[in-house]
Amino acid sequence: MKIFDGHSDIFTDVTMRRLNGEKNVLKNHHIERLRKGGVDGSIFVIWIDPPYTDNPPLRMLQVLGAACDEIEDMKDIAGIVYSYKDLLSLRQSGRLPIIIGCEGLSGINGNISIISMLHKLGARHASLTWNEENELATGVRSPNKDRGVTPLGIEALHKLEEFKMIIDVSHANEKTFWDIYENTTKPIIASHSNAYSVCNVPRNLKDEQIKAIAGRNGVIGMNSWPDFIDINNPTVEKLADHIDYIANLVGIDAIGLGFDFCDFLQGDTTSSFQDSESTAAIGLEDASKIPVLIDILFKRGYKTEDVEKIAFKNYERVIKEVLG
């Protein structure tokens, strides 16, 4: 079955490897695993990864440079999605459709005109913040629970909608979530978040947040990061429990997949925000294992049409509506 993965940090690996002199990183290290898992589209994010968070603008430029070089290398196996039409044409050509995303905008250092540059470079997705508090908004690890989106952040949201970019609320604290919801009009996504009622950690979404995303015709991408699945037993079956919960709460149309696989990232990148010993859910260790989750959904009685919506159709609906 086709899979659209709403969140991938592969550009981080691309950056690390290209800075060490490698080329063709997607082809040499990732594409086989993605194909085995059925991944037929994804959002690859520009992320200011630890330990580089002390200088976000520099790291953003490093990732952008590496990504642009990699795009040239990968033309025979993948391409960039600027519109829904591109998604279809790339798929028909047998290449992997990639949406360039921004996991947080700390790298713009409060200069929202840089959003225009990112858009011209091909970005079609953004969240205002990662875990941190920045000039635009407040991430989930900020101690300032009453701080949400700043006035500058509201300007950024309007610019993102003007440019027909998908707005993402994963990593936002609750105040930021509701500020984003109240200052946007188009479908929003939580690209890689689970249900708080199933696993009560701050990165997951509470019921009212889930209902708000569903009511806006958006999508929540199920996250395979173990800390957000189950504190004691983070298995692929437990991730399916999150799908069951959201389906019962708001229906199938609000559910997608945003795995956030980190098997290829170095320990100094994940250690600052990692609570469990592993970065992988049991039974869903990397992209090649995605069919295991799909099989579980069928065994639980989900119809083919519903599984296809979760696997790729719901995300594609949002892409079509927002990107045009």
Side-chain angles (χ1 to χ4, degrees):
M1 179 173 290
K2 290 186 294 188
I3 301 293
F4 186 91
D5 184 356
H7 183 82
S8 173
D9 292 309
I10 283 177
F11 275 159
T12 300
D13 189 51
V14 165
T15 303
M16 292 176 176
R17 292 182 182 275
R18 293 193 78 101
L19 287 174
N20 286 325
E22 288 191 51
K23 296 183 178 181
N24 292 299
V25 178
L26 181 67
K27 184 181 296 184
N28 293 336
H29 297 281
H30 296 281
I31 196 66
E32 182 178 350
R33 189 164 54 244
L34 294 173
R35 286 173 173 166
K36 187 175 180 180
V39 176
D40 197 32
S42 186
I43 298 175
F44 283 16
V45 294
I46 300 159
W47 171 42
I48 312 304
D49 53 316
Y52 304 101
T53 48
D54 289 340
N55 194 342
L58 175 60
R59 188 57 172 177
M60 184 182 74
L61 287 174
Q62 288 178 329
V63 179
L64 283 170
C68 287
D69 285 343
E70 186 71 15
I71 287 166
E72 290 299 311
D73 283 351
M74 70 185 191
K75 282 184 174 179
D76 58 331
I77 60 169
I80 302 305
V81 172
Y82 305 98
S83 68
Y84 179 67
K85 182 180 178 181
D86 295 324
L87 177 72
L88 299 180
S89 61
L90 283 165
R91 179 172 290 149
Q92 289 170 357
S93 71
R95 293 179 290 163
L96 176 69
I98 295 171
I99 293 176
I100 298 175
C102 301
E103 187 176 20
L105 289 172
S106 62
I108 72 172
N109 202 29
N111 182 356
I112 63 172
S113 67
I114 294 177
I115 295 173
S116 305
M117 181 193 77
L118 293 169
H119 181 264
K120 288 184 182 296
L121 287 173
R124 294 294 184 270
H125 156 281
S127 57
L128 296 183
T129 182
W130 181 57
N131 286 334
E132 84 288 341
E133 176 181 306
N134 62 34
E135 297 87 351
L136 307 179
T138 312
V140 73
R141 283 187 176 253
S142 167
N144 299 320
K145 305 302 181 186
D146 295 330
R147 186 184 190 270
V149 176
T150 68
L152 190 64
I154 292 173
E155 289 185 42
L157 290 172
H158 294 163
K159 189 174 282 286
L160 292 171
E161 286 207 322
E162 176 189 345
F163 286 144
K164 298 182 179 180
M165 294 173 67
I166 298 169
I167 295 172
D168 191 346
V169 298
S170 282
H171 284 286
N173 72 354
E174 283 192 66
K175 181 67 166 61
T176 292
F177 174 95
W178 291 111
D179 286 348
I180 291 172
Y181 179 78
E182 291 168 5
N183 287 281
T184 55
T185 60
K186 297 177 182 177
I188 55 177
I189 67 169
S191 62
H192 55 305
S193 298
N194 296 332
Y196 184 90
S197 291
V198 180
C199 181
N200 59 346
V201 295
R203 268 285 282 108
N204 287 340
L205 298 169
K206 295 182 178 178
D207 288 1
E208 292 306 310
Q209 294 174 299
I210 293 170
K211 291 176 183 178
I213 293 171
R216 187 68 72 78
N217 205 30
V219 173
I220 301 158
M222 299 292 94
N223 191 334
S224 67
W225 184 258
D227 297 340
F228 311 147
I229 295 175
D230 186 90
I231 295 172
N232 299 313
N233 189 28
T235 66
V236 62
E237 289 278 357
K238 287 287 187 178
L239 183 58
D241 290 346
H242 286 266
I243 293 175
D244 288 347
Y245 183 85
I246 296 174
N248 289 328
L249 183 67
V250 296
I252 292 292
D253 290 348
I255 307 172
L257 303 171
F259 290 106
D260 199 13
F261 290 120
C262 293
D263 55 288
F264 48 83
L265 295 181
Q266 299 174 14
D268 59 346
T269 299
T270 59
S271 60
S272 67
F273 54 88
Q274 180 180 344
D275 294 325
S276 60
E277 293 184 3
S278 174
T279 64
I282 300 167
L284 195 57
E285 290 81 7
D286 59 52
S288 70
K289 304 294 180 62
I290 295 172
V292 175
L293 176 62
I294 300 303
D295 288 344
I296 289 170
L297 296 181
F298 280 122
K299 289 176 182 177
R300 293 192 179 193
Y302 286 84
K303 298 177 182 178
T304 299
E305 179 183 359
D306 291 338
V307 176
E308 288 179 345
K309 285 183 175 182
I310 294 168
F312 67 95
K313 287 184 175 179
N314 288 338
Y315 259 124
E316 291 188 6
R317 181 194 72 236
V318 172
I319 293 166
K320 184 177 182 179
E321 183 171 348
V322 178
L323 270 59

